[in-house]
Amino acid sequence: MMLIRYLSQIGKYFLMWKEIFKKPTKWSVMKGLIFKEVDDLIIDSLGIVAFISFFVGGVVSIQTALNLTNSFIPKYLIGYATRQSVILEFAPTFMSIIMAGKMGSFITSSIGSMRVTEQIDALEVMGVNSLNYLVFPKIIALLLYPFLIGIGMFLGIAGGYIATVYGGFGADVDFIEGIQRDFLPFHVVYSFTKTFIFGMLLATIPSFHGYYMKGGALEVGKASTVSFVWTSVTIIVLNYVITQLLLTK
Amino acid sequence: MIEIKNIEKSFNGVKILKGISSVFEAGKTNLIIGQSGSGKTVLLKSLLGIHTPEVGTISFDGRIYSDLNADEKREIRTEIGMLFQGSALFDSMTVSENVAFPLRMFTNDSKLKIQKRVDFVLERVNLVGAHKKLPSEISGGMQKRVAIARAIVNNPKYLFCDEPNSGLDPNTAILIDNLIKEITVEYNITTVVNTHDMNSVMEIGDNILFLKNGVKAWQGNKEEIFRTNNEAIVEFVYSSELFKKVREAHLKE
Ligand SMILES: Nc1ncnc2c1ncn2[C@@H]1O[C@H](COP(=O)(O)OP(=O)(O)OP(=O)(O)O)[C@@H](O)[C@H]1O
Ligand SMILES: [Mg+2]
């Protein structure tokens, strides 16, 4: 019973994707909507992404340094470990979970409150494709999501560098050697592939929960919670699948 | 003119509308009245295409809605103005952006022309000086007027109103009713209003469709409603002391 319900929800989610691209909104109107979403979703998240990445990058390198008690282990490992963990997992995956909370609840509650106050019905009655009007600009705005995560990667490594060098855990040259050592460009491809997919999930899963919600103001809050849970679960599961597909031989 | 024939609509196997037929003429305020739960909103939403009836046809000046393709349906929707019960103004837009919305969406008019039209309709609903305000910054009665302005800005052929004066004080309610009536006559719009307010019935009831448990129990105008001996109507009207007296006065004349 439960399973059937989940499957039908998933089916509905994919049908929503199809609907989003039908009967596009006039470009002169859409342009403004896209700018607004870029502002609300991307620009508005820069601060928190920068802040979290910087400090978590710092903590990752300190933790690595503290665990390097054996003097046979090379010193460059601090930089190497920081680079690997920030680029491979921290920036793309864990940042996306945080964004599922920040962007996701914003998206679900704003679309959900439009649903309960009949604003979505108003759009439909006017002959507007409300899914295109509401969700398409979010998808376009989140095409910029990899840039946001790129900034997170840079600042995460920078945080690691500063914590290591100025915290007295290691030398500047060792850290630099570490971040350059055995660098596989494919890891960056892997990481940005994930980021792109997570960005699309961040645009659409919270929209789905807001758009199809029923009830009143109280249910808007509940929908935001449910949407956060599903967005993060989906990100974690897909992260596993993508890693299995791209990184194992 | 909108013509409905034998409309039936069920939810989860329960029949809500049980074969309703009627004609709503242009230039008239057509009311749908009835007790809470009688199916007024379901009927209105069926006319709007938000619900799809299982049986029956709805035709807009001869165009049968269910026979149209998706594009033609959207075309009809651009000819419809709708006043929602809660106004449903876009809360991220100012009053004038709300009213301009259908024009920006569906016409290629210049900014200046749109602005002129917006000024004109806002003046028409007696709302001046609120252009730059957000919906949250104006009163419920003002929101209703903005919603009416938005509904008529693109010269609709059909205007639907779901309980236009619920939540308003009696004075404002009458003003809104009269505004709807005037606009209907002035632009020869086919207007359908959903209400359970007997004041509206007396003020603007050109054609009244009385629903009871999803069936059309009676149809007539505001003069006839106080003279009829139809049991369901008498029961509905008599539920208020005031209208009991009004009816008695009518019967004496
Ligand atoms: N989407 C829906 N799903 C299931 N049942 C519905 C739905 N919409 C309405 N109903 C049922 O249809 C019946 C008629 O509802 P409707 O909203 O049309 O009443 P109404 O005449 O507009 O009442 P009110 O004056 O209170 O607004 C009710 O019993 C309601 O529970
Ligand atoms: Mg109703």
Side-chain angles (χ1 to χ4, degrees):
Chain A
M1 212 40 225
M2 200 76 155
L3 186 71
I4 292 174
R5 224 185 62 218
Y6 288 148
L7 286 177
S8 85
Q9 286 288 93
I10 293 169
K12 205 164 150 193
Y13 171 77
F14 284 107
L15 288 178
M16 178 185 87
W17 266 99
K18 212 175 91 192
E19 210 57 41
I20 291 169
F21 295 96
K22 277 189 192 160
K23 180 140 195 299
T25 305
K26 253 171 83 173
W27 176 241
S28 60
V29 176
M30 184 50 82
K31 213 168 46 187
L33 295 173
I34 292 173
F35 282 125
K36 188 169 178 311
E37 297 294 353
V38 169
D39 199 43
D40 284 344
L41 299 176
I42 303 292
I43 309 286
D44 208 49
S45 301
L46 274 172
I48 182 112
V49 167
F51 176 79
I52 297 180
S53 303
F54 187 80
F55 282 95
V56 172
V59 169
V60 167
S61 64
I62 294 174
Q63 295 282 19
T64 315
L66 292 178
N67 286 299
L68 291 184
T69 44
N70 188 329
S71 56
F72 285 109
I73 300 175
K75 284 283 176 233
Y76 68 76
L77 200 70
I78 304 176
Y80 180 80
T82 306
R83 182 198 78 201
Q84 289 301 79
S85 49
V86 166
I87 291 186
L88 293 181
E89 290 308 326
F90 173 72
T93 311
F94 293 99
M95 215 32 140
S96 296
I97 303 276
I98 293 167
M99 288 299 117
K102 186 191 177 284
M103 288 180 192
S105 59
F106 174 75
I107 292 175
T108 308
S109 59
S110 60
I111 296 185
S113 67
M114 288 185 75
R115 168 62 75 196
V116 302
T117 55
E118 295 180 304
Q119 290 175 53
I120 292 181
D121 288 334
L123 286 170
E124 283 293 320
V125 165
M126 285 177 198
V128 177
N129 176 357
S130 58
L131 275 172
N132 175 268
Y133 182 87
L134 294 170
V135 187
F136 184 75
K138 294 183 171 59
I139 292 177
I140 300 301
L142 280 170
L143 290 177
L144 294 175
Y145 185 61
F147 286 99
L148 190 66
I149 294 304
I151 291 170
M153 289 176 185
F154 176 78
L155 288 173
I157 295 171
Y161 175 84
I162 288 171
T164 308
V165 175
Y166 295 94
F169 294 99
D172 157 330
V173 279
D174 291 334
F175 193 90
I176 302 286
E177 191 197 340
I179 52 181
Q180 291 174 341
R181 199 167 179 111
D182 300 330
F183 177 73
L184 290 176
F186 183 68
H187 281 176
V188 176
V189 174
Y190 154 79
S191 184
F192 278 107
T193 307
K194 298 207 287 197
T195 305
F196 168 76
I197 293 172
F198 297 161
M200 295 299 101
L201 297 178
L202 285 172
T204 50
I205 298 180
S207 298
F208 176 81
H209 285 279
Y211 190 86
Y212 292 106
M213 64 156 293
K214 293 197 168 79
L218 188 65
E219 281 78 7
V220 175
K222 282 188 195 147
S224 301
T225 315
V226 173
S227 136
F228 171 69
V229 171
W230 280 111
T231 313
S232 16
V233 166
T234 314
I235 287 173
I236 297 285
V237 171
L238 280 187
N239 185 39
Y240 180 82
V241 174
I242 295 167
T243 307
Q244 183 77 28
L245 285 177
L246 293 187
L247 287 193
T248 57
K249 304 239 160 57
Chain B
M1 186 181 80
I2 300 173
E3 198 172 353
I4 58 176
K5 277 197 194 127
N6 194 31
I7 298 287
E8 287 185 15
K9 175 72 193 164
S10 312
F11 288 109
N12 312 320
V14 182
K15 220 179 243 185
I16 303 294
L17 301 180
K18 300 162 187 164
I20 297 175
S21 304
S22 188
V23 174
F24 305 116
E25 281 174 48
K28 285 194 175 164
T29 42
N30 302 277
L31 307 190
I32 301 172
I33 64 168
Q35 271 174 9
S36 195
S38 53
K40 303 186 293 293
T41 300
V42 174
L43 179 56
L44 200 70
K45 288 193 171 170
S46 303
L47 295 178
L48 280 164
I50 296 178
H51 294 326
T52 313
E54 292 93 34
V55 181
T57 55
I58 300 169
S59 72
F60 293 84
D61 291 296
R63 295 167 295 177
I64 295 173
Y65 192 75
S66 53
D67 292 353
L68 304 177
N69 65 32
D71 283 339
E72 291 167 328
K73 281 180 182 166
R74 291 209 187 264
E75 180 68 35
I76 286 206
R77 286 182 171 200
T78 62
E79 298 171 1
I80 289 176
M82 170 74 192
L83 176 59
F84 283 88
Q85 187 161 352
S87 296
L89 297 175
F90 302 122
D91 44 24
S92 58
M93 299 182 195
T94 63
V95 163
S96 60
E97 284 167 351
N98 260 287
V99 178
F101 186 83
L103 299 178
R104 290 214 301 136
M105 229 38 200
F106 300 109
T107 69
N108 292 315
D109 294 351
S110 67
K111 271 199 170 138
L112 189 71
K113 195 172 170 202
I114 291 179
Q115 196 50 52
K116 277 197 178 143
R117 176 75 186 152
V118 169
D119 291 342
F120 176 79
V121 286
L122 280 175
E123 210 173 298
R124 183 66 196 77
V125 299
N126 301 318
L127 207 76
V128 273
H131 285 62
K132 293 274 163 292
K133 295 215 166 97
L134 288 171
S136 56
E137 297 167 344
I138 58 177
S139 73
M142 286 163 95
Q143 288 177 7
K144 281 268 154 73
R145 280 186 232 201
V146 177
I148 294 176
R150 184 178 70 182
I152 62 169
V153 73
N154 202 10
N155 293 315
K157 284 191 186 153
Y158 316 100
L159 177 65
F160 297 100
C161 311
D162 195 1
E163 315 224 352
N165 42 30
S166 68
L168 297 179
D169 65 84
N171 274 330
T172 315
I174 288 173
L175 284 177
I176 298 286
D177 277 347
N178 287 335
L179 184 59
I180 291 171
K181 167 93 187 161
E182 283 164 27
I183 287 167
T184 301
V185 175
E186 202 172 319
Y187 304 110
N188 199 36
I189 301 172
T190 304
T191 300
V192 181
V193 181
N194 207 324
T195 186
H196 45 206
D197 182 355
M198 285 302 291
N199 281 314
S200 304
V201 171
M202 290 167 67
E203 289 282 335
I204 60 169
D206 293 338
N207 172 32
I208 303 162
L209 175 63
F210 178 70
L211 286 190
K212 190 177 181 187
N213 298 328
V215 278
K216 180 169 95 175
W218 184 81
Q219 185 161 20
N221 64 30
K222 62 184 175 189
E223 266 80 46
E224 290 158 355
I225 198 168
F226 289 106
R227 296 175 199 283
T228 176
N229 285 322
N230 180 297
E231 260 178 54
I233 284 282
V234 171
E235 187 195 4
F236 186 69
V237 173
Y238 265 69
S239 59
S240 148
E241 274 307 311
L242 176 62
F243 292 108
K244 209 187 269 184
K245 294 206 176 87
V246 174
R247 179 183 153 87
E248 279 156 9
H250 267 272
L251 289 177
K252 267 184 214 139
E253 269 171 28

